[in-house]
Amino acid sequence: MAENRASEYTEGTPCWVDAQLPDLEAGKRFYGELFGWTFEDQPTGTVRALKDGDPVASLARKTDGRLPTVWTVSFWTPDADSLCARIRAAGGRVVAPPAPFGDLGRTALVTDPEGAVFSLWEPGTATGFGRRHEPGTFAWVQLYTRDTETANAFYGDLFHDALFGEGADPEFGRAPVSEVFAPEMPPHLLVHFAVTELEPALETVTRLGGRTQVPPFETSYGTAAVVTDNQGASFALLRR
């Protein structure tokens, strides 16, 4: 059963993930084998990833070699313009203001006060994930930050209902950078995908040309490992 219902999303709920890659065909081969994804080319020039026929992510060709090769999470909002104004007022930055993405919705690229990058998604015909919280789909996003107090205030205010509202079941947490990464690692949001077992998934990552960046470690939300794909994009594997 697809989990793509507007009523499931509160402002601040992670609703989509996308990767900016130099080589889309290489990305399709890597993630297709790792997660069992199939792919559809989109009129927007992106490639939509499907799990058992339902949308779970997208891949896009990186148009500027100076840009990072990354996975980015989008948070759902009913009003991207209003949320951008609140982000600026709270010390964040709007990198790319809200703009239409075909008839699918409107998207904006922003940062928090420490520079961690994320996207906003205001739905049109596309609400968000068709599947999540199952193997090969989005499971969690973790903010790694140097200033946890500032992060708590920033995200807690922007996304209060998603994080703390009645019946909230957050899919978003935070931790100090030094808890997992070297202290010089920039603040960032790390997308997690669910797997049934970690070790076979890590072996597949290596066989496909990726690498293990941080070996398995225990968290409050499961056992995670941080990896990079065959083009350098970091993400995490999560077993619950």
Side-chain angles (χ1 to χ4, degrees), residues 68-118:
T69 301
V70 293
W71 276 98
T72 302
V73 62
S74 293
F75 293 98
W76 191 93
T77 178
D79 187 341
D81 294 299
S82 173
L83 185 51
C84 281
R86 290 161 50 207
I87 286 169
R88 287 192 188 97
R93 186 166 68 95
V94 176
V95 178
F101 197 71
D103 65 350
L104 299 177
R106 298 173 75 228
T107 184
L109 190 68
V110 300
T111 78
D112 69 14
E114 282 201 295
V117 176
F118 58 98

Side-chain angles (χ1 to χ4, degrees), residues 24-49:
L24 281 185
E25 291 304 314
K28 288 161 68 174
R29 290 191 296 271
F30 181 92
Y31 291 101
E33 185 163 350
L34 179 62
F35 293 139
W37 291 353
T38 57
F39 300 93
E40 290 181 342
D41 292 335
Q42 299 296 295
T44 54
T46 62
V47 175
R48 184 166 65 173

Side-chain angles (χ1 to χ4, degrees), residues 1-2 32 38 46 60 77 103 125 138 203 226 237 240:
M1 176 67 72
T38 57
T46 62
T77 178
D103 65 350
T125 59
F138 171 84
E203 291 172 4
V226 184
L237 303 172
R240 283 178 151 157

Side-chain angles (χ1 to χ4, degrees), residues 121-132:
W121 183 252
E122 179 185 318
T125 59
T127 301
F129 297 118
R131 289 178 182 267
R132 53 186 174 171

